[in-house]
């Protein structure tokens, strides 16, 4: 009886890094290497093991605190020495600048190390922009990796609190890949387990051996090891490192297929598997190595022969569903082959579905602008403003058509937010805004005319600010078409142009006055205002009227 046992891709083994004497390195062009929690003063540094240059994450995220794993934790890479954790807010996001249309390998690394002394492994979700990437359970996970093509030039990686534990992260790494390599057109690719190679020398392989810094992890194979000291070329877009291609395995029993099991989390998961091959044995003229590549029983490539000392990658073109939560990967020798199958490495991914479109980019830019204009630091204002709906930014409302249509911001309530300064032009770019509430702040300056020209706006609440009049005439016309503007509690607002003269004088005076007299004048103006406020409310328009309700005022102007 031949042993038909299969290898399990999920075998976890003790991992050691191959320590290199790093000399001439391929450049790190386009790499983003963040050491989360690294104090900016220690940034950047060159990792002694990989030669990669890591920077602090501080300028890519506004929230979170620095933590350090306990002393007993040993780590290979310096970036696991500290971490960032997120006790505040539900969703905390990194905002990174990327190139639209480029495939990125995105790797989040975690080393809990009981940094909080609670000894409870955190569980949380990772999101890419508006879409759920994966649920992380640090009891089982260390790195999570996805290959994703960004649809815009900025990318948000978010950690989302899902229970009582606090999300944390140690490293965030982005590596641009060739866009003709992994097929992300069908959906982002989430790495299953680890990227497995068949070497038995026992080390991690990554940068600089791998120009894309993929992490290749050796597995304990129970089959026959094959290896070479010759160089293996890799002229294909996958650029499999030499060190990976130089070793392979064949079945111990040469008449049997080489098989692997692979577990998926859900029965509905679709997989995309990349098999890397190179002929690394010296063949005789009469030797043939030829096999079929099967994915869960379906032949994805028939009668394949690895190329001599040249790496080649075969994969299923369309994502494939596996039966009952596990997938069989088989390499089956053909009739005419006298040699058994041979393989160097396997990468397996589940193909994710990212159905949600990001909020309209002009709305996002406008919100960012508004946020900066008023120095707003609201914890939920991270990541996409509208999606997912459950995590949308507080103080705003969005309109949702369907998942694939970018949502629009239709309502913004910044009342009682301590806003200072003038009403920023940035509001103008929220072109679908219906309701704007800026009441109970310290806004100054005039009520800008652009608010009247925003066609979508139907309610504007500017009550209880320190705005100055007059109100542009255009508001009158807009009121007829249903705009509700309220400016109650702005003691220096007036309803028509008659107060403009006074208003202008107010600005002219300080210009000619000396700095010292400006202070005196300001003090006097304040005194006058305080004094005026205490007087009984005057009736009528065209004068300084405290607590003016604009709507009613226009009615009065029209009446005798
Ligand atoms: C190899 O597998 C074949 C087919 O299962 C079996 O007949 C044979 O005994 C096996 N040989 C060894 C050495 O196990
Ligand atoms: C993210 O960063 C980009 C580039 O720096 C910037 O334009 C964008 O406004 C930022 N987005 C957010 C939500 O902070
Ligand atoms: C892939 O990248 C090349 C240049 O690097 C670019 O010309 C091409 O349009 C890209 N293809 C896709 C599908 O984005
Ligand atoms: C190469 O293969 C031989 C024989 O199978 C094995 O003894 C040796 O350890 C292998 N070397 C490496 C670097 O894998
Ligand atoms: C393998 O490649 C390295 C670097 O490219 C080169 O120095 C070495 O001579 C090559 N070895 C063989 C056997 O071709
Ligand atoms: C192939 O050729 C070699 C010598 O070149 C010989 O030893 C071997 O038996 C041959 N194998 C087959 C299957 O004919
Ligand atoms: C979503 O809505 C848009 C605009 O109404 C429409 O063109 C598109 O077909 C819809 N998509 C789906 C998947 O329903
Ligand atoms: C006005 O805003 C202040 C803080 O800016 C707040 O304390 C107060 O409760 C607000 N008043 C109303 C009526 O909302
Ligand atoms: C409004 O958006 C346009 C482009 O969409 C941009 O050029 C302009 O600077 C924006 N205005 C403000 C005030 O943000």
């Amino acid at each position: 009886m031949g042993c038909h046992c299969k290898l399990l891709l999920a075998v976890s083994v003790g991992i050691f890094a191959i320590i290199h004497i790093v000399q001439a390195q391929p450049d790190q062009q386009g790499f983003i290497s963040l050491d989360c929690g690294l104090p900016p003063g220690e940034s950047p540094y060159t990792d002694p093991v990989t030669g990669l240059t890591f920077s602090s994450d501080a300028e890519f995220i506004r929230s979170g605190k620095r933590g350090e794993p306990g002393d007993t934790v040993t780590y290979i890479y310096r970036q696991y020495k500290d971490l960032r954790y997120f006790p505040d807010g539900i969703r905390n996001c990194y905002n990174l600048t990327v190139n639209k249309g480029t495939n990125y390998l995105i790797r989040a690394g975690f080393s809990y190390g009981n940094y909080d002394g609670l000894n409870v492994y955190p569980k949380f979700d990772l999101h890419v922009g508006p879409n759920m990437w994966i649920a992380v359970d640090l009891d089982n996970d260390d790195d999570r990796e996805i290959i994703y093509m960004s649809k815009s030039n900025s990318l948000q990686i978010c950690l989302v609190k899902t229970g009582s534990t606090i999300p944390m992260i140690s490293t965030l790494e982005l590596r641009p890949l060739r866009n003709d390599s992994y097929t992300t057109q069908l959906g982002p690719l989430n790495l299953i387990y680890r990227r497995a190679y068949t070497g038995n020398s026992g080390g991690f392989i990554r940068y600089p051996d791998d120009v894309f810094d993929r992490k290749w992890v050796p597995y304990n194979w129970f089959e026959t090891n094959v290896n070479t000291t010759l160089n293996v070329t890799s002229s294909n877009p996958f650029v499999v490192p030499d060190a990976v291609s130089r070793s392979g395995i064949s079945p111990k029993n040469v008449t049997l297929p080489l098989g692997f099991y692979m577990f998926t989390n859900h029965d509905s998961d679709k997989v995309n598997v990349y098999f890397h091959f190179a002929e690394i044995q010296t063949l005789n003229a009469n030797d043939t190595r030829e096999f079929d590549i099967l994915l869960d029983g379906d032949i994805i490539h028939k009668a394949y022969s690895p190329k001599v000392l040249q790496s080649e990658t075969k994969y299923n073109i369309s994502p494939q569903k596996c039966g009952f939560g596990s997938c069989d990967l088989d390499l089956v020798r053909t009739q005419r082959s006298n040699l058994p199958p041979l393989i160097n490495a396997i990468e397996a991914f589940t193909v994710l579905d990212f159905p949600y479109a990001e909020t309209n980019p002009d709305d996002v830019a406008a919100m960012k602008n508004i946020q900066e204009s008023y120095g707003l630091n609201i914890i939920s204002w991270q990541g996409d403003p509208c999606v997912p709906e459950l995590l949308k930014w507080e103080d705003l409302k969005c309109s949702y058509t369907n998942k694939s249509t970018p949502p629009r911001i239709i309502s913004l309530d910044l009342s009682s937010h301590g806003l200072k300064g003038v009403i920023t032009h940035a509001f103008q770019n929220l072109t679908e805004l219906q309701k704007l509430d800026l009441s109970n702040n310290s806004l100054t300056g005039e009520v800008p005319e652009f608010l009247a020209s925003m066609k979508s706006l139907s309610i504007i609440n500017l009550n209880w600010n320190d705005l100055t009049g007059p109100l542009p005439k255009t508001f009158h016309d807009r009121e007829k078409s249903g705009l509700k503007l309220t400016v109650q509690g702005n003691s220096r607002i007036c309803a028509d142009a008659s107060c403009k003269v006074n208003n202008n004088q107010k600005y002219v005076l300080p210009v000619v006055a000396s700095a010292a007299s400006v202070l005196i004048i300001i003090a006097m103006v304040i005194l006058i205002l305080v004094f005026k406020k205490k007087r009984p409310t005057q009736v009528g328009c065209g004068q300084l009227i405290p607590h003016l309700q604009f709507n009613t005022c226009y009615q009065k102007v029209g009446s005798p």
Side-chain angles (χ1 to χ4, degrees):
M1 273 295 195
C3 169
H4 206 88
C5 45
K6 295 197 176 190
L7 305 181
L8 209 58
L9 272 181
V11 186
S12 198
V13 293
I15 294 151
F16 308 91
I18 298 175
I19 312 286
H20 298 272
I21 295 153
V22 180
Q23 287 168 338
Q25 297 152 21
D27 66 351
Q28 301 170 33
Q29 200 180 2
F31 282 24
I32 296 175
S33 307
L34 302 183
D35 179 340
C36 306
L38 179 73
E42 295 173 29
S43 173
Y45 65 83
T46 300
D47 185 273
V49 180
T50 57
L52 287 165
T53 304
F54 276 85
S55 312
S56 165
D57 61 340
E59 61 181 281
F60 302 95
I61 192 151
R62 291 188 293 120
S63 51
K65 295 195 167 104
R66 175 190 149 82
E68 273 184 88
D71 293 339
T72 54
V73 178
T74 55
Y75 45 84
I76 301 163
Y77 305 112
R78 176 170 163 191
Q79 47 281 14
Y80 289 91
K81 187 169 156 284
D82 36 26
L83 56 88
R84 186 178 291 270
Y85 67 100
F86 301 95
D88 302 315
I90 304 294
R91 175 174 64 167
N92 289 273
C93 299
Y94 283 88
N95 179 30
L96 306 167
T97 304
V98 295
N99 290 321
K100 186 174 163 174
T102 296
N103 263 344
Y104 278 92
L105 181 161
I106 304 168
R107 185 165 50 220
F110 309 97
S111 173
Y112 167 63
N114 195 22
Y115 77 92
D116 53 4
L118 298 173
N119 225 354
V120 177
Y121 287 106
K123 290 181 192 168
F124 51 90
D125 287 350
L126 285 175
H127 288 200
V128 177
N131 289 289
M132 165 85 172
W133 164 12
I134 198 166
V136 177
D137 178 351
L138 295 187
D139 201 0
N140 302 314
D141 299 325
D142 42 13
D143 283 1
R144 292 310 330 171
E145 197 185 296
I146 194 173
I147 297 177
Y148 175 68
M149 187 180 281
S150 176
K151 292 184 186 68
S152 71
N153 287 328
S154 73
L155 177 72
Q156 319 264 330
I157 304 292
C158 305
L159 293 93
V160 179
K161 202 167 188 288
T162 52
S164 56
T165 52
I166 290 173
M168 57 137 292
I169 185 167
S170 305
T171 72
L172 188 57
E173 300 166 319
L174 268 77
R175 313 293 182 225
L177 302 170
R178 279 177 56 162
N179 61 8
D180 51 355
S181 54
Y182 300 88
T183 51
T184 51
Q185 288 80 0
L186 301 161
L189 304 176
N190 181 58
L191 185 68
I192 305 178
Y193 316 127
R194 290 168 167 155
R195 188 172 273 112
Y197 84 102
T198 59
N200 62 2
S201 55
F204 246 147
I205 292 173
R206 63 179 293 190
Y207 187 88
D209 294 291
D210 188 318
V211 291
F212 299 132
D213 192 29
R214 287 162 293 193
K215 280 184 179 172
W216 303 85
V217 178
Y219 281 84
N220 283 329
W221 304 89
F222 308 101
E223 305 286 350
T224 305
N225 180 263
V226 182
N227 59 49
T228 182
T229 52
L230 297 174
N231 287 349
V232 180
T233 61
S234 182
S235 51
N236 71 27
F238 291 91
V239 199
V240 173
D242 229 22
V244 168
S245 299
R246 277 201 198 117
S247 63
I249 49 163
S250 295
K252 266 216 172 78
N253 182 336
V254 296
T255 66
L256 289 178
L258 194 54
F260 314 92
Y261 281 128
M262 187 179 78
F263 292 113
T264 53
N265 282 335
H266 308 284
D267 285 352
S268 59
D269 283 351
K270 289 184 172 173
V271 300
N272 191 201
V273 184
Y274 294 79
F275 300 87
H276 303 289
F277 303 103
E279 181 55 77
I280 50 172
Q281 267 183 331
T282 314
L283 305 187
N284 294 318
N286 58 2
D287 279 337
T288 307
R289 190 194 306 278
E290 192 185 77
F291 48 89
D292 295 334
I293 305 167
L294 281 81
L295 180 53
D296 224 35
D298 290 347
I299 296 180
I300 61 167
H301 200 97
K302 216 172 161 48
Y304 175 70
S305 289
K307 295 207 166 109
V308 175
L309 297 179
Q310 198 173 331
S311 171
E312 198 173 20
T313 301
K314 295 289 165 194
Y315 53 94
N316 54 316
I317 306 292
S318 49
Q320 180 154 338
K321 224 171 128 175
C322 298
F324 306 108
S326 95
C327 240
D328 285 324
L329 315 178
D330 290 296
L331 306 177
V332 183
R333 190 166 96 165
T334 63
Q335 288 292 331
R336 60 184 289 263
S337 178
N338 68 315
L339 295 176
L342 169 74
I343 192 165
N344 305 122
I346 296 179
E347 292 175 86
F349 301 90
T350 46
V351 181
L352 301 184
D353 185 22
F354 276 12
Y356 292 100
E358 293 174 12
T359 302
N360 176 286
D362 293 337
D363 282 0
V364 177
M367 286 308 297
K368 180 90 186 154
N369 216 323
I370 292 164
Q371 184 176 16
E372 276 165 12
S373 298
Y374 298 115
L376 287 167
N377 193 9
I378 302 169
I379 188 81
S380 71
W381 284 27
Q382 300 189 50
D384 192 276
C386 298
V387 225
E389 202 173 341
L390 274 175
L391 298 174
K392 77 168 177 57
W393 293 8
E394 62 196 84
D395 310 320
L396 54 79
K397 290 201 177 83
C398 305
S399 68
Y400 303 91
T401 309
N402 57 32
K403 286 179 194 173
S404 53
T405 306
R408 300 300 307 257
I409 293 167
I410 55 166
S411 167
L412 181 58
D413 178 356
L414 292 179
S415 60
S416 310
H417 275 69
L419 308 187
K420 288 193 180 72
V422 299
I423 296 176
T424 171
H425 270 85
F427 289 111
Q428 198 175 357
N429 275 4
L430 294 172
T431 52
E432 300 265 303
L433 197 67
Q434 294 163 12
K435 194 179 162 198
L436 178 63
D437 190 340
L438 300 176
S439 62
N440 190 30
N441 284 299
S442 308
L443 293 168
T444 51
E446 295 184 15
V447 177
E449 198 156 0
F450 71 77
L451 285 180
S453 57
M454 289 175 68
K455 295 200 174 57
S456 56
L457 264 182
S458 57
I459 299 174
I460 308 174
N461 185 348
L462 302 178
N463 293 345
W464 313 109
N465 274 291
D466 201 11
L467 298 163
T468 44
L471 286 165
K473 274 268 185 290
T474 39
F475 282 104
H476 185 42
D477 305 330
R478 284 282 277 117
E479 285 222 298
K480 283 187 201 153
S481 58
L483 174 72
K484 287 198 179 64
L485 170 74
T486 50
V487 291
Q488 229 179 345
N490 287 272
S491 56
R492 293 188 291 155
I493 267 194
C494 47
D496 65 19
S498 68
C499 64
K500 190 134 196 173
V501 183
N502 301 334
N503 205 40
N504 283 347
Q505 280 172 350
K506 224 163 49 201
Y507 289 107
V508 170
L509 256 176
V511 176
V512 289
S514 71
S517 53
V518 168
L519 287 177
I520 296 167
I521 289 167
I522 290 171
M524 282 170 67
V525 168
I526 290 170
L527 279 176
I528 290 166
L529 287 176
V530 168
F531 183 64
K532 276 199 162 184
K533 248 183 179 164
K534 286 186 178 151
R535 280 202 273 170
T537 306
Q538 294 176 30
V539 196
C541 293
Q543 300 165 43
L544 293 172
I545 309 162
H547 308 184
L548 169 73
Q549 171 96 29
F550 186 59
N551 281 324
T552 53
C553 182
Y554 261 112
Q555 280 156 14
K556 279 175 187 160
V557 166
S559 57

